[in-house]
Every structure is written in C-alpha cells, then in structure tokens.
Amino acid sequence: MAFDHKKHIDCDYCDKRFTNIICNPKNDSLGNINKEKVCSQYKKGEVIFKEGSIPFGVFCVNFGKIKLTKQGIDGKEQIIRLIKEGDWAIVLC
C-alpha cells in the first residue's frame, strides 16, 4: 500500500467540518486531531487495508468515497457501507 502524503488540510477550514459529531466545533479535541493527523491520497480501486488486518487509524474522507467491504462465506465481496465525503470511518477488524 503506497501513501501519497498531501498538504495538511486544516480542520478549521474544512467545509465538511459541521457535518459530523467528531468535527463539531464545540469538541475540544478538534485541535489535537488536526495537529496529529496525516493527510493521504489514494487512487480509485486502491486497497487502503485488508479485512483481518489491524487498522492504523481513523479515516475522514475529504474527497471521493470509500467502499467498505467484507468477504462473504461464498468468497464474494460484499459491500458493507459506502463512506462519502465528510464521513468518518472507525474500523474494527
């Protein structure tokens, strides 16, 4: 998995900031999240992490969308959720 670390996007100026509870301006931890985060860009179809692996963070989608999938008992990919711009994904494997 290749990361393309991009310019730090400041949470204070994100237009998705008011769309979820984690980015609520009344949340005192927003400054800490903004300071510690890493901004990465992925190509369409690129796997961010695989089922069964240990996740390495919380994902906030600024642009595009993420398809969260799971392998079914028949071996086929099952879409669990589509994560869109402004959504957060906390992944528990």
Side-chain angles (χ1 to χ4, degrees):
M1 171 178 2
F3 291 101
D4 183 9
H5 297 289
K6 295 295 179 187
K7 179 181 170 191
H8 184 85
I9 299 169
D10 192 326
C11 293
D12 289 328
Y13 302 104
C14 177
D15 61 347
K16 314 291 186 292
R17 173 178 175 187
F18 300 99
T19 63
N20 63 65
I21 195 163
I22 294 176
C23 293
N24 187 314
K26 295 177 185 170
N27 185 340
D28 293 336
S29 62
L30 184 61
N32 291 331
I33 292 170
N34 193 44
K35 187 171 43 173
E36 298 296 327
K37 72 181 177 186
V38 174
C39 297
S40 301
Q41 182 175 352
Y42 301 91
K43 294 179 183 176
K44 183 177 181 175
E46 185 175 359
V47 175
I48 298 173
F49 56 88
K50 294 185 180 220
E51 181 180 354
S53 65
I54 298 172
F56 48 85
V58 174
F59 294 86
C60 174
V61 181
N62 288 55
F63 304 99
K65 52 191 153 196
I66 295 174
K67 180 173 65 172
L68 185 59
T69 64
K70 168 183 172 140
Q71 186 174 5
I73 55 173
D74 59 359
K76 293 182 180 178
E77 177 183 90
Q78 297 177 339
I79 299 174
I80 304 298
R81 182 174 161 215
L82 288 176
I83 302 164
K84 62 185 184 326
E85 293 179 6
D87 287 347
W88 284 79
I90 300 173
V91 182
L92 305 172
C93 293

